[in-house]
Amino acid sequence: MMDQKWLQTYREEIETFSGKIRDFQEGKIDRKDYKGCSGGMGSYAQRDAAKHMLRLRLPAGRLTLERLKFLADTVEKYQVRRLKLTTCETVQLHDLAAEQVPAIMEEAAACGILCRGGGGDNPRNVMCSPLSGVQEGEAFDPSPYAAAVTDYLLSVCREIHMPRKLKIAFSNGADDSVHSAFRDMGFRAQADGTFSLRIAGGLGAMGHRMGVLVDEAVQPGEVLYYVKAMVDTFCRHGNYENRAKARTRFMQDTLGPEGLKEAFLKNVESAKAAGGLELPRLEALADVCGGEETLEHPRAIRQKQPGMYTVKYHPVGGLLPVEKPARLYAAIKDLCNAECRVGPDETLYIVNLPAAGAEKVLALTEDGAKTEFEYSVACIGATVCQQGVRDSQGLLRAAVSAVREAGIPDGALPRIRISGCPSSCAAHQAGTIGFQGGVRLEDKKPQPAFRLFLGGGDALDEARFGEAGAVILEKDIPALLVELGRAAAAQGQSWAQWSESHREDLNAIVAKYA
């Protein structure tokens, strides 16, 4: 956690921000200038400028009991009407009044939620495999290192001026849903107790890149040297002239992958020579209390701790019902080390539950996704986001409704990823089926449409980007998905089986809608 001096400065920043958001509401500063100052505090004005979003930074996606209670209390106190789980493992509060934003920031700090750097040209929320510490088959639990990196980056965020944002992820070696293969920095835990490290990957409007493998044996105690070296490399070689090319992945173009690796490793050596950033051996999260009862349920995941379970809950579209934090808190507050984790697929994982506790949580979360398709991911969309182009949430709702009505069996369609614009907030390039918001000309008039991506994947050791294909009218996408699902079901096959063995049929169906 940050020291008292840092927190005092943060409170002063909140006070300054209170004046800025007031000036924006009164029309004294325009939207662009306001965005330049609000992003660094984790807040943005929505499409309706009278409403605001606040992003709660949750290192490793951890929504501890204290933070969960804060969220529940905040919803009640400020009558929050929309909560969004994000692909960066945060929670966004939407439709806030201007005066509510700084007040919530101040109150959040008391339970360790620091919104500083939640947007803008800052290090963003440090991600971690959501089942770290409890997942069978993981190499080791990297979450304490994700927390240490968060503290380090927050401690220096006021001193550095990067060209753009920096996203860092830790994989536990059993799961790579955090996309360590293509983050700005991606640490992957290995069985020998070290991390492999890839850098300068990423998604976005100007192209996507897999990360460059720069080290295969990073000692956990030295991770801060590597983070400092990445910041230094980005500040030295990043593009300060063209924001569209000011992400780390474009250093692969300007320096070449080998040149980038060489420059980065030199900065690692310089950082180590300066010293002062060694970490002690960081212990994993506290042991959990085991149980003897067993449980079988599609949403109950058996943990590596005997008798313990994780319940997964995916509210459709990542829109967490506002009453849910309070109900979950009441259900788990007396359980040993139980907590929630926000996953990068907009799923909430409730971990460290004995069988009886898991059964209570399962009953509380029956309103979530029930099929693989309903676990689809969508950004908040253009009805809310000022940068958005298309209503990704509306499209997902329409698609889920159409698939349910058509009776498409579970497995015949995969999860899809819908980004409302080229910014890739839903990582559509990594989806088995992905959609990117845009337009299509019909009779020389622009119509709401999405570009289709096919064949992406983010499984461990199998990360790949989908191929960009046809631009399909938004109104036709639910029908396209139903037809694809029916074709797979007619063959008695899963989507993976059918799409692999019937590629020509798949292409023919898509062509009808192109």
Side-chain angles (χ1 to χ4, degrees):
M1 288 295 298
M2 300 298 96
D3 61 24
Q4 289 303 310
K5 182 179 179 181
W6 191 96
L7 290 171
Q8 179 57 38
T9 302
Y10 179 51
R11 294 188 181 98
E12 293 168 1
E13 290 172 328
I14 294 174
E15 182 63 30
T16 300
F17 176 69
S18 297
K20 293 289 186 181
I21 197 170
R22 186 167 53 249
D23 288 347
F24 175 67
Q25 291 302 112
E26 295 174 357
K28 296 178 181 178
I29 56 177
D30 63 21
R31 188 184 281 268
K32 181 179 179 182
D33 289 340
Y34 174 67
K35 182 181 178 183
C37 65
S38 71
M41 298 298 289
S43 180
Y44 291 108
Q46 297 181 181
R47 185 165 292 273
D48 177 351
K51 297 178 180 179
H52 298 261
M53 177 276 286
L54 179 61
R55 183 175 295 144
L56 304 180
R57 179 191 286 271
L58 301 173
R62 292 187 64 205
L63 196 54
T64 60
L65 280 178
E66 182 183 20
R67 294 170 183 171
L68 183 62
K69 186 175 189 303
F70 162 78
L71 185 58
D73 291 346
T74 298
V75 166
E76 181 179 5
K77 179 177 180 179
Y78 294 97
Q79 292 299 289
V80 178
R81 287 292 173 256
R82 184 163 13 199
L83 297 173
K84 179 71 169 69
L85 306 178
T86 80
T87 55
C88 283
E89 300 186 331
T90 66
V91 176
Q92 292 178 176
L93 282 60
H94 283 279
D95 306 329
L96 300 176
E99 65 274 10
Q100 292 177 329
V101 177
I104 295 173
M105 286 180 182
E106 179 75 35
E107 292 167 14
C111 64
I113 299 177
L114 306 174
C115 299
R116 184 69 168 85
D121 301 338
N122 294 283
R124 298 298 182 83
N125 193 52
V126 179
M127 300 170 65
C128 191
S129 298
L131 298 184
S132 291
V134 304
Q135 189 168 14
E136 293 181 343
E138 69 178 354
F140 61 90
D141 180 2
S143 58
Y145 297 96
V149 168
T150 297
D151 287 349
Y152 169 71
L153 288 171
L154 285 173
S155 74
V156 301
C157 67
R158 301 184 183 105
E159 305 166 10
I160 56 179
H161 172 55
M162 298 186 300
R164 287 287 296 279
K165 57 192 170 186
L166 188 74
K167 294 185 176 182
I168 299 176
F170 284 81
S171 164
N172 66 1
D175 162 73
D176 199 27
S177 59
V178 292
H179 299 158
S180 70
F182 48 92
R183 292 288 179 184
D184 296 298
M185 296 190 80
F187 293 90
R188 175 176 166 178
Q190 302 181 122
D192 65 357
T194 68
F195 292 107
S196 64
L197 173 62
R198 292 181 178 272
I199 67 168
L203 308 173
M206 296 291 290
H208 36 268
R209 304 282 193 286
M210 288 292 172
V212 176
L213 181 63
V214 292
D215 200 318
E216 297 185 74
V218 176
Q219 296 298 323
E222 296 182 341
V223 294
L224 298 187
Y225 291 117
Y226 287 81
V227 172
K228 182 181 188 306
M230 191 67 213
V231 172
D232 292 344
T233 303
F234 194 22
C235 290
R236 192 167 303 165
H237 299 286
N239 191 328
Y240 283 91
E241 305 300 322
N242 182 351
R243 283 188 64 81
K245 293 191 174 182
R247 293 296 303 276
T248 65
R249 64 184 182 276
F250 294 105
M251 294 192 297
Q252 292 194 44
D253 298 333
T254 55
L255 298 176
E258 287 303 315
L260 172 60
K261 178 178 178 178
E262 181 181 359
F264 171 75
L265 291 178
K266 283 183 178 178
N267 284 330
V268 172
E269 291 306 311
S270 296
K272 289 181 179 179
L277 295 178
E278 293 89 353
L279 291 172
R281 180 181 176 85
L282 299 179
E283 296 299 327
L285 303 179
D287 288 337
V288 298
C289 307
E292 295 182 359
E293 297 179 355
T294 60
L295 174 66
E296 295 293 335
H297 191 282
R299 292 192 293 114
I301 302 169
R302 190 184 303 273
Q303 295 184 183
K304 67 182 183 182
Q305 294 86 1
M308 300 301 289
Y309 297 86
T310 290
V311 169
K312 60 180 180 178
Y313 167 54
H314 184 91
V316 174
L319 295 175
L320 182 66
V322 293
E323 71 279 4
K324 202 66 69 173
R327 293 178 180 177
L328 286 171
Y329 177 76
I332 69 173
K333 63 184 178 66
D334 296 322
L335 300 179
C336 178
N337 292 314
E339 66 178 46
C340 298
R341 312 263 182 91
V342 180
D345 57 354
E346 301 175 342
T347 297
L348 194 65
Y349 296 87
I350 303 92
V351 306
N352 296 335
L353 305 174
E359 287 176 342
K360 290 181 181 179
V361 172
L362 286 165
L364 279 175
T365 54
E366 290 180 341
D367 57 314
K370 294 178 173 58
T371 67
E372 181 70 9
F373 179 73
E374 292 178 10
Y375 274 83
S376 295
V377 175
C379 67
I380 194 65
T383 61
V384 176
C385 176
Q386 59 172 292
Q387 298 295 111
V389 177
R390 295 272 74 84
D391 179 11
S392 47
Q393 288 288 325
L395 173 58
L396 180 60
R397 286 194 299 272
V400 168
S401 178
V403 169
R404 286 176 177 174
E405 185 176 342
I408 304 300
D410 190 12
L413 283 172
R415 305 182 190 193
I416 65 174
R417 290 178 171 267
I418 309 174
S419 297
C421 75
S423 293
S424 308
C425 290
H428 58 271
Q429 299 96 329
T432 305
I433 299 177
F435 293 99
Q436 174 189 297
V439 298
R440 190 173 101 182
L441 293 179
E442 293 286 306
D443 297 325
K444 298 182 179 180
K445 296 180 180 179
Q447 297 296 323
F450 286 78
R451 182 174 295 281
L452 174 67
F453 285 71
L454 282 174
D458 59 5
L460 193 70
D461 294 324
E462 297 179 12
R464 60 188 183 277
F465 298 127
E467 293 183 21
V471 178
I472 301 170
L473 293 177
E474 180 177 332
K475 66 182 180 65
D476 291 338
I477 291 174
L480 165 65
L481 292 166
V482 167
E483 189 166 349
L484 290 171
R486 281 177 171 157
Q491 297 297 321
Q493 294 179 317
S494 69
W495 172 264
Q497 294 167 331
W498 181 81
S499 61
E500 177 68 24
S501 60
H502 292 77
R503 188 70 185 193
E504 289 186 5
D505 293 339
L506 190 162
N507 290 338
I509 293 172
V510 170
K512 291 168 55 177
Y513 296 87

